[in-house]
Amino acid sequence: VCLFGIFGNLINISVFVKQGLARSINASFFAMAVTDLLEVIAQIWHNFCLNPYLAQLDSVIDFGAIKYLTAATPGVLLVRITGWIAVFITAERCMSIAVPLKIKQIVTPRRTAATLVFIYVMNFAGIVPLYNAAYFSWTFDPVRNRTKVGISFRHNVDEMTSWISSYYSGMTIIAFVSVIIFTNILVLALKQKSKWRRKSAAQASQPETMSSKERKTVHTVIVVATVLIVCYTPGIFFNIATSLSDVFSLSGRQINVIQAAWSFAFLLHSVNSSITVLLYYTTSSKY
């Protein structure tokens, strides 16, 4: 899945660059493709670190430990960034329907770029305390009676992890709910426009309120957002469960259950990041 995602997102990036990033929707899809590409790469590295055969090797690196900073945390971060980019895309399409004549003045290329940069900064800010407190160091492995490169923490890891979990849980839920709301608005708007077109089909003098190009763009956004909602739903519930109960934390009694659950969630995240090339190809005539 992830290998397909790498090639698919490279194609997406190439296509949107050729189409031009001056258009807001292209710039947003381009940013999403870059984020998805990085996410599937992080997931491949995560899967490599979890390989059980690595534990049998007498390696100087503790892959099970370093994956926390090099794979798991970046991967989850990129998933959330994709979610927030989806919020911006769906919100921008809603505005294009509400104020079609003013949308180009409201959503300019410069404002789009600034919004996308803000999304990245807002999400990266949440992990600054973690990377400030955690660092790679030599740790003792009592099983093999040797030191390995692992991870150590300068501060109280429990308090810091709790704060980061709360911050990202809130960010994830807000983004998820926002995408659902904006996607439903787009679906309703598209249905209303379709009804209007059928009623006015015999009246050629009435102007179109939504161009064919705009309808196809909205349809593409709806499909991409719907797939994201489906793929993100399990992770949202697991995130809420982890935040509300210590039993389902990574150090709780149900660690095996939560690890299995998050493995399923990570798989769906990778699917969402990998199949966008198919979604664009089937819904966009310009792709």
Side-chain angles (χ1 to χ4, degrees):
V1 174
C2 291
L3 290 176
F4 178 79
I6 290 177
F7 291 107
N9 282 295
L10 287 175
I11 294 174
N12 290 340
I13 292 171
S14 175
V15 169
F16 292 126
V17 169
K18 288 183 178 179
Q19 289 183 356
L21 302 181
R23 192 174 175 220
S24 173
I25 192 67
N26 287 348
S28 300
F29 280 147
F30 170 81
M32 181 178 286
V34 172
T35 306
D36 287 342
L37 174 62
L38 296 175
E39 192 277 327
V40 293
I41 292 175
Q43 189 58 48
I44 289 176
W45 174 243
H46 193 189
N47 294 339
F48 176 80
C49 292
L50 291 174
N51 192 321
Y53 292 104
L54 291 177
Q56 301 176 10
L57 298 177
D58 191 19
S59 173
V60 72
I61 300 175
D62 186 352
F63 290 97
I66 68 169
K67 76 176 188 300
Y68 181 62
L69 290 183
T70 62
T73 300
V76 173
L77 169 69
L78 292 165
V79 166
R80 289 185 173 91
I81 291 176
T82 295
W84 276 100
I85 294 176
V87 172
F88 174 68
I89 292 173
T90 51
E92 188 266 341
R93 286 297 93 188
C94 287
M95 286 190 292
S96 70
I97 294 175
V99 285
L101 300 179
K102 297 182 179 180
I103 186 63
K104 290 185 178 180
Q105 288 75 33
I106 297 174
V107 184
T108 62
R110 180 172 296 181
R111 289 176 180 173
T112 297
T115 302
L116 294 173
V117 170
F118 175 75
I119 289 173
Y120 273 89
V121 172
M122 176 180 63
N123 282 275
F124 271 100
I127 65 170
V128 170
L130 172 62
Y131 283 90
N132 182 52
Y135 61 96
F136 297 108
S137 66
W138 291 100
T139 57
F140 180 70
D141 183 359
V143 177
R144 296 190 178 274
N145 193 29
R146 63 170 300 179
T147 56
K148 292 185 175 183
V149 176
I151 294 177
S152 299
F153 294 89
R154 297 185 179 91
H155 309 301
N156 190 323
V157 62
D158 293 331
E159 292 182 1
M160 180 185 57
T161 303
S162 177
W163 182 87
I164 293 175
S165 177
S166 299
Y167 176 79
Y168 271 128
S169 294
M171 293 277 290
T172 303
I173 293 172
I174 292 173
F176 183 73
V177 173
S178 298
V179 171
I180 292 176
I181 293 174
F182 291 137
T183 302
N184 283 324
I185 292 174
L186 290 175
V187 171
L188 293 175
L190 204 60
K191 288 182 178 180
Q192 290 177 353
K193 300 299 181 183
S194 298
K195 290 181 180 179
W196 182 90
R197 288 179 63 216
R198 288 195 296 268
K199 290 181 180 179
S200 60
Q203 302 177 13
S205 60
Q206 291 196 16
E208 273 274 17
T209 58
M210 182 186 292
S211 66
S212 175
K213 178 181 178 181
E214 183 69 17
R215 283 196 301 273
K216 290 179 180 179
T217 300
V218 171
H219 182 253
T220 300
V221 170
I222 290 174
V223 171
V224 172
T226 301
V227 172
L228 183 143
I229 291 170
V230 172
C231 292
Y232 277 32
T233 297
I236 292 294
F237 284 111
F238 300 153
N239 207 326
I240 294 174
T242 303
S243 301
L244 295 179
S245 176
D246 294 336
V247 175
F248 292 101
S249 67
L250 292 178
S251 58
R253 296 194 305 271
Q254 300 296 333
I255 183 173
N256 292 332
V257 174
I258 200 64
Q259 284 183 341
W262 274 110
S263 296
F264 176 68
F266 286 152
L267 173 61
L268 289 179
H269 292 162
S270 297
V271 169
N272 176 75
S273 298
S274 301
I275 66 172
T276 49
V277 62
L278 300 178
L279 303 181
Y280 296 143
Y281 181 77
T282 55
T283 60
S284 176
S285 58
K286 293 182 62 178
Y287 189 81

